[in-house]
Amino acid sequence: MRKRIRLLTGDRPTGSLHVGHYAGSIKNRLELQNSGKYDCFVFIADMQALTDNAFNPRKVRDSVKELMLDYLAVGLDPKKCTLFVQSGIPELAEICMYYMNLVTVARLQRNPTVKDEIKQHNFEKSVPAGFLVYPVSQAADITAFDAEIVPVGEDQMPVIEQTREIVHAFNRIYGDVLVMPRGVMPENILARRVPGIDGQAKMGKSIGNCIYLKDDADTVRKKIMSMYTDPNHIRVEDPGDTKNNVVFKYLEIFGRDQKKVAEMKAHYQRGGLGDVVVKKYLIEEMEAFLAPIRARRQEYEKDMDKVYKIFEEGTKRARKIAKQTLKRIRKAVGVEYFKGEEE
Ligand code: ATP
Ligand code: MG
C-alpha cells in the first residue's frame, strides 16, 4: 500500500480559537482530513506559547483545555487525525537543539513574522531567546513527523520557509534524512489573513480583536455591530467603500451565498445600503456557521475526562513517531556512542 502523505499543523494555546483560525487553517485541515488521503497530525503548541508567555503559565495551561475543546468542536476527528500536545514529546526539544546550530541569530531576526511579533510584544530590546528561536522549534515539530503538508495562514509562511532552509542545510550536511514540507494556504486570498474586528490587518489571539468560535450569539452580535466599516459612509445614500470594510471582507470569507454578497457590495458602493443591514446579514451568516460548532463544544465540555483521554492517547502515538525520527537524526549527526543506548 502506498504510504499516505503526512499533514501536520498546530496552534498556540494563548486563548481559544477564532474565526481567523478557522478560515486560515482549520477549514483546510478538515477538508484534507476528511478526504482520507492524508495521515493527519494536529497539535497544541504549548511550549511555543510559553516562549512569549513565560510569566503567565496559567494562561497557557487554561488555553490548552480551550483548544482541545475547539479542535473537537470544529470536527477534527481523533479517528482520522492524531491530536496531541507538544510538551508531551520531549524529543522535539532535542531535535530543536541540533537545528539551532544550522540557523544564525541574524537570519531569525530578519524573519518578517518574527519581526512583526517582536514589535507587537514590545520585545525590541528584550526578546526572550526562546521566542527568537521559535521558528527552529517549529521546524523540529514539522520534521519530527515527516510532514509534507502544513496548512497555515499567510503569517506563518515565512516560518515554514525557515523550516525548509533547515531541512536543506541538515540534509546537505548529514545526508538525506529529513522530509521537505510545504505550507498550504486557503484558495480564497482573503482567508489567508482574516482581519481583526477593529480593522487591523490580522485577527490574533494575542491582539484581542477576535470573534472566537466559542463566543455566544449575543457576543457575536455585539462584536459585529461594533465592527469597522467605512468612516466616510455617513448617510445611507452615500456611496460606501467595500475594499477596506471589514464587514464586507468577512462576508466574502464566511458568506454562504457569494452572489448575494456581490450584489450587496455593488449596492453599497453606489449608495443606498446602510451598515446596519449589512451587519445584520453578516450576523445571520456567522450564526449559521458558529451555532453547530458551539453546540458540539458544549457536548464535549460535559465530559472533560474523555477529552483529555483523546489527547493523551494521541500524544502517546505521536511520541512513538518522534522517537523514531530522533533516532534517525542522532545517527546522521553521529551522536550515538553506546550499544544498547535505547531503552
Ligand atoms: P497569537 O497571537 O498568540 O500568535 P494567533 O491568533 O496568531 O495567536 P496562532 O496559534 O499563532 O494564532 O496560529 C494558528 C494558525 O492560525 C496558524 O496557521 C496561523 O497562520 C493561522 N492564523 C492565525 N491568525 C489568522 C488570521 N487572522 N487569518 C488567517 N489565519 C490565521
Ligand atoms: Mg500567531
Side-chain angles (χ1 to χ4, degrees), residues 114-126:
V114 175
K115 245 175 149 171
D116 279 357
E117 290 171 344
I118 284 177
K119 227 187 260 160
Q120 183 198 318
H121 287 86
N122 290 322
F123 278 163
E124 280 102 333
K125 290 209 177 86
S126 58

Side-chain angles (χ1 to χ4, degrees), residues 258-326:
Q258 285 303 317
K259 202 166 153 242
K260 179 164 175 184
V261 172
E263 280 163 18
M264 285 178 95
K265 236 170 116 176
H267 191 175
Y268 192 86
Q269 281 164 356
R270 65 175 184 268
L273 183 60
D275 283 319
V276 172
V277 176
V278 187
K279 283 181 170 175
K280 282 196 169 149
Y281 181 52
L282 178 59
I283 292 169
E284 265 173 45
E285 292 301 283
M286 276 304 202
E287 260 314 287
F289 152 55
L290 292 174
I293 296 176
R294 205 184 285 136
R296 271 199 302 271
R297 200 179 200 279
Q298 281 162 0
E299 275 311 303
Y300 278 111
E301 233 171 342
K302 289 182 197 153
D303 193 354
M304 277 316 292
D305 284 350
K306 183 175 156 194
V307 171
Y308 280 113
K309 194 88 202 139
I310 288 171
F311 282 80
E312 190 181 351
E313 279 168 11
T315 304
K316 261 191 211 151
R317 203 174 331 143
R319 188 168 183 195
K320 274 192 196 141
I321 297 170
K323 274 188 174 171
Q324 287 165 5
T325 311
L326 176 59

Side-chain angles (χ1 to χ4, degrees), residues 5 9 32 65 100 152 161 178 238 297 306 328:
I5 297 169
T9 193
L32 297 169
K65 181 180 157 199
M100 275 199 281
V152 285
E161 192 46 43
L178 304 178
D238 290 340
R297 200 179 200 279
K306 183 175 156 194
R328 245 161 60 208

Side-chain angles (χ1 to χ4, degrees), residues 12 21 48 117 134 155-156 202 204-206:
R12 293 154 36 87
H21 296 127
Q48 190 185 120
E117 290 171 344
Y134 94 71
D155 67 302
Q156 281 301 306
K202 181 182 172 294
K205 292 187 233 98
S206 303

Side-chain angles (χ1 to χ4, degrees), residues 56-100:
N56 200 354
R58 184 69 198 262
K59 172 169 136 188
V60 174
R61 195 179 164 77
D62 291 348
S63 303
V64 167
K65 181 180 157 199
E66 296 295 322
L67 250 61
M68 286 176 173
L69 286 166
D70 285 334
Y71 281 178
L72 297 168
V74 293
L76 288 172
D77 179 350
K79 290 198 195 80
K80 300 179 187 161
C81 176
T82 303
L83 300 170
F84 69 96
V85 181
Q86 187 187 25
S87 59
I89 309 188
E91 286 73 16
L92 299 174
E94 183 176 336
I95 295 174
C96 178
M97 284 291 283
Y98 299 117
Y99 294 175
M100 275 199 281

